[in-house]
Amino acid sequence: MTDSRRVGLIGVGLMGHGIARNLLRHGHALSFLDHPGNQPVDDLIAEGATRLSSAAEVAAAADVVILCVTGSPQVEAVLCEASGVLDGLASGSIVIDCSTAIPSSTVAIAERVVARGGRFCDAAMTRTPKEAEEGRLNLIVGAPDELFAEIRPLLESFAEAITHVGPVGSGHRVKLLHNFVSLGFSAVLAEASAAARRADVSPQALIEVLGNGGGAGVVFERLKPFILADDASGFRFSLSNADKDIGYYQQMVEELGASHQAADGIAGLYRQTIEQGHGQAAVPELVALLAEASR
């Protein structure tokens, strides 16, 4: 490894754990924030990672800090609160936000990082924890051209497809567009599959017809195991996170003055299931929840 970095990671959850493992495998020095939301980290420590007690310590020990947290409130907190990243950030250090966030918040956060002498880019992720562990995430990057060229080798240690979509904030804008399409189709497919259960349509017949027609695609393949056999493992993404991402999309398009009629309907569907107490259910389980609700 000719471009070894000192990397600090905040957020060793389902996606962050895979990022951490692949950073270590590619020879980068890794420190991470100790947090109750982390996945088990014994394997990371065994491979040389260092656990630290504050975000400021993580930033001070790194020249690149990667954020992999839930959303904009968490990004703002981990950066700006007492003992946060900004308190430990060295001049010239880079902050890479891999979270899903509100673009206007991202731009404001970037300004604060720059004011402290740092550099910032958003590198929103797609794909699942399985691809994260395999080092095959997709990244949607908003960054100045020069910074993108500098960090690309680091990103390649845990990502397969890396798309530079424009300046800071663009990565999160395109991620929200992507998630609206992905989660929107998930809702449509789940609702159709629930109606098929109500109509006693064979799941195998439904899958064959959709797969040979307008239903084929990545989301279809992720939900197919649940439609056929109630297996939700293909899409380990909670309904609460789906609701959060659709809400971020709604806020973005409101700020843009863009149309959002379809988004409003999709958001209503997700929020209804959460209000019924199913926020931690995985997205494929929406099929069963809607089928049960219809009876």
Side-chain angles (χ1 to χ4, degrees), residues 86 89-94 110-120:
L86 292 181
L89 193 69
S91 179
S93 292
I94 301 167
E111 291 172 353
R112 296 192 69 169
V113 171
V114 171
R116 291 298 294 263
R119 295 176 289 164
F120 182 95

Side-chain angles (χ1 to χ4, degrees), residues 25-247:
R25 288 172 181 170
H26 284 78
H28 299 288
L30 179 70
S31 58
F32 65 89
L33 177 64
D34 189 22
H35 191 276
N38 287 348
Q39 293 291 294
V41 295
D42 289 349
D43 59 331
L44 304 180
I45 293 172
E47 293 181 36
T50 302
R51 177 165 40 199
L52 298 172
S53 60
S54 75
E57 289 179 281
V58 172
D63 49 64
V64 178
V65 179
I66 297 176
L67 310 179
C68 190
V69 297
T70 303
S72 288
Q74 292 76 23
V75 172
E76 293 168 3
V78 80
L79 279 164
C80 302
E81 288 184 353
S83 298
V85 168
L86 292 181
D87 283 349
L89 193 69
S91 179
S93 292
I94 301 167
V95 176
I96 302 174
D97 183 9
C98 291
S99 310
T100 300
I102 300 167
S104 55
S105 171
T106 299
V107 172
I109 284 289
E111 291 172 353
R112 296 192 69 169
V113 171
V114 171
R116 291 298 294 263
R119 295 176 289 164
F120 182 95
C121 75
D122 41 310
M125 303 175 290
T126 66
R127 291 192 160 176
T128 70
K130 176 179 180 291
E131 286 87 16
E133 292 290 336
E134 295 168 350
R136 298 177 50 246
L137 288 173
N138 291 343
L139 296 178
I140 309 164
V141 182
D145 292 345
E146 183 178 348
L147 179 56
F148 176 70
E150 180 181 341
I151 64 171
R152 180 161 192 147
L154 175 69
L155 301 179
E156 287 173 344
S157 66
F158 60 89
E160 181 175 59
I162 302 169
T163 306
H164 184 205
V165 294
V168 167
S170 301
H172 284 151
R173 291 188 190 97
V174 177
K175 171 65 183 295
L176 293 180
L177 292 166
H178 170 276
N179 279 20
F180 170 57
V181 172
S182 174
L183 294 169
F185 183 44
S186 294
V188 169
L189 182 55
E191 191 169 273
S193 300
R197 291 188 179 193
R198 176 75 174 177
D200 294 322
V201 171
S202 159
Q204 291 79 9
L206 180 68
I207 288 296
E208 182 174 346
V209 171
L210 291 176
N212 289 330
V218 172
V219 172
F220 175 75
E221 293 300 323
R222 289 180 180 171
L223 267 65
K224 183 164 70 173
F226 194 91
I227 296 169
L228 291 172
D230 286 355
D231 176 5
S233 63
F235 196 0
R236 294 168 63 195
F237 194 75
S238 72
L239 295 175
S240 289
N241 275 331
D243 175 63
K244 180 261 296 180
D245 286 4
I246 295 294

